[in-house]
Amino acid sequence: MRRIAGIILAVLLIGGVVAAVVAGRHGDDKGTATKTVRGVIGSEKSDFFADPDVVKALAAKGYTVKTEASGSWAMDGLDLKGYDFAFPSSSAPADQLAAKYHARQPLPRPFYSPLVVVAHRSAAEVLAANGLAVLDGKGKGTVKMAAYLDAARHDRTWQQLKGAKAHGELTGTLYITSTDPETSNSGALYLAAASYVANGGQVVANDAAVAKTAPLLRKLVSVQGAQQPSSDSVFRDFISGAGNPLVCLYESQVVSLLAEQHGADDLVVLYPDTTVNSDHTIVPMDDAGRELGDLLSADPTLRKLAVKHGFRPQGDSAEFVTATADRAAYLNQTLTGVRQAPVPTSAVLHEMARRARG
């Protein structure tokens, strides 16, 4: 009887230990990430997912997120089997991926960012003196897209602009640097905005409109020579003082830079008077990917961290305005005077990019 009682006691003790371990996993250890989620993201979100505060906030909700960067349009050429999500920089490549991988709609769109043109101060002032831009204070202004496209159509050079001779760095053809539109979302959206203006304020939606705008888009791209595959690359070149004095990229990249430097004497942020929003859209490959998308959209901490990295959370513009009050000298926080152009379908954008690249 003593031997049997001893065995029963041992079994009960072992069972108690197991129960305690299981309870610990599901109870007290809520701050430890328990689910690893893998995804491919646009390069402009790399700093967001690498931020220790973002890692901590995701872990508190039970997630470890591992990412690899890719051009948004280049994602379509990748084998995404085995990944939980793709996170391109706008709805057009996301919709294409969703159709390919049969992702359930609606797709989560946690945040967005408009396209802007960053300029060195000398370039911005010359543009303003020649009716191509309007400056609003020291650090921000507006690009007049119709006037700029007319200058591009006629191969205008910096030397032809009033006041440019005083700045030796302003030479050669006047153009805005953009990324490769066949692989990079920001480059494709630049063409979308330009084509909307060139098409008389209508979205390019058919072969006739593509043919009508193609010669101008070809000029916008061909004058640049070799193009970078990501907006991170062109922004780094701009900040280092290399390359062209006008660069098209995402507002979020500028906001993030200003958060680190609290100002930049030679930087002017120009908002095209007709621009395109980049709706950062998650394409869930499984339930874990969708859960992550919903979390990024709704969690207050993660929304604040998205603003820290320059993104505008969907659904509440006040969050962005409040969080960027210290950078208002450079930012059009409410996008006053900026028209949002609709984005063509993926098929049309691809054809526009193909023709623009020649």
Side-chain angles (χ1 to χ4, degrees), residues 58-81:
L58 288 168
K61 295 295 183 179
Y63 293 90
T64 294
V65 179
K66 295 186 177 181
T67 63
E68 300 170 26
S70 167
S72 292
W73 286 104
M75 290 181 190
D76 187 53
L78 303 176
D79 182 2
L80 299 180
K81 292 179 180 178

Side-chain angles (χ1 to χ4, degrees), residues 48-49 51 53-61 63 65 110-111 291-309 311 313 319:
F48 172 76
F49 281 104
D51 185 337
D53 290 334
V54 173
V55 173
K56 182 179 178 181
L58 288 168
K61 295 295 183 179
Y63 293 90
V65 179
F111 39 73
E291 289 167 7
L292 176 66
D294 293 340
L295 184 63
L296 291 173
S297 300
D299 183 74
T301 300
L302 289 167
R303 287 174 67 92
K304 288 180 181 179
L305 289 169
V307 176
K308 171 187 171 183
H309 286 270
F311 302 109
E319 285 183 78

Side-chain angles (χ1 to χ4, degrees), residues 37-267:
V37 183
R38 297 179 63 224
V40 179
I41 63 172
S43 61
E44 72 290 330
K45 292 183 285 288
S46 295
D47 288 345
F48 172 76
F49 281 104
D51 185 337
D53 290 334
V54 173
V55 173
K56 182 179 178 181
L58 288 168
K61 295 295 183 179
Y63 293 90
T64 294
V65 179
K66 295 186 177 181
T67 63
E68 300 170 26
S70 167
S72 292
W73 286 104
M75 290 181 190
D76 187 53
L78 303 176
D79 182 2
L80 299 180
K81 292 179 180 178
Y83 289 89
D84 300 291
F85 69 96
F87 202 173
S89 304
S90 74
S91 57
D95 289 342
Q96 183 170 301
L97 289 169
K100 180 178 180 179
Y101 290 95
H102 308 290
R104 176 169 55 87
Q105 298 285 349
L107 304 178
R109 306 182 193 276
F111 39 73
Y112 67 98
S113 185
L115 284 184
V116 299
V117 175
V118 291
H120 294 305
R121 187 165 306 283
S122 58
E125 290 174 349
V126 169
L127 291 181
N130 288 270
L132 299 172
V134 176
L135 299 185
D136 179 15
K138 182 180 178 181
K140 64 185 176 184
T142 305
V143 175
K144 294 184 175 182
M145 282 294 285
Y148 165 69
L149 293 178
D150 184 65
R153 190 179 286 110
H154 292 92
D155 303 312
R156 191 80 57 85
T157 65
W158 283 105
Q159 290 93 324
Q160 293 173 323
L161 300 183
K162 179 176 61 177
K165 292 181 180 179
H167 306 283
E169 72 278 11
L170 300 180
T171 61
T173 305
L174 169 67
Y175 69 91
I176 295 172
T177 293
S178 60
T179 54
D180 182 350
E182 291 192 291
T183 60
S184 172
N185 183 65
S186 61
L189 293 186
Y190 172 57
L191 296 187
S195 67
Y196 182 82
V197 176
N199 196 39
Q202 293 183 325
V203 65
V204 173
N206 53 46
D207 291 342
V210 170
K212 174 184 175 182
T213 57
L216 176 58
L217 300 188
R218 173 64 179 153
K219 280 196 172 189
L220 297 180
V221 170
S222 62
V223 70
Q224 300 183 45
Q227 291 178 289
Q228 297 275 18
S230 76
S231 56
D232 278 352
S233 300
V234 295
F235 195 30
R236 283 195 298 269
D237 288 347
F238 176 85
I239 295 301
S240 69
N244 196 43
L246 301 172
V247 174
C248 177
L249 39 74
Y250 300 115
E251 179 195 55
S252 59
Q253 294 169 288
V254 180
V255 178
S256 183
L257 171 73
L258 293 173
E260 297 172 4
Q261 297 189 0
H262 304 291
D265 290 338
D266 191 40
L267 174 67

Side-chain angles (χ1 to χ4, degrees), residues 134-142 268-271 328-332:
V134 176
L135 299 185
D136 179 15
K138 182 180 178 181
K140 64 185 176 184
T142 305
V268 179
V269 184
L270 300 173
Y271 288 75
Y330 296 89
L331 305 175
N332 185 343

Side-chain angles (χ1 to χ4, degrees), residues 5-54:
I7 292 172
I8 293 173
L9 179 60
V11 170
L12 290 173
L13 287 172
I14 292 172
V17 171
V18 171
V21 171
V22 172
R25 286 177 180 171
H26 296 282
D28 296 336
D29 198 20
K30 293 179 181 178
T32 302
T34 57
K35 183 183 295 185
T36 297
V37 183
R38 297 179 63 224
V40 179
I41 63 172
S43 61
E44 72 290 330
K45 292 183 285 288
S46 295
D47 288 345
F48 172 76
F49 281 104
D51 185 337
D53 290 334
V54 173

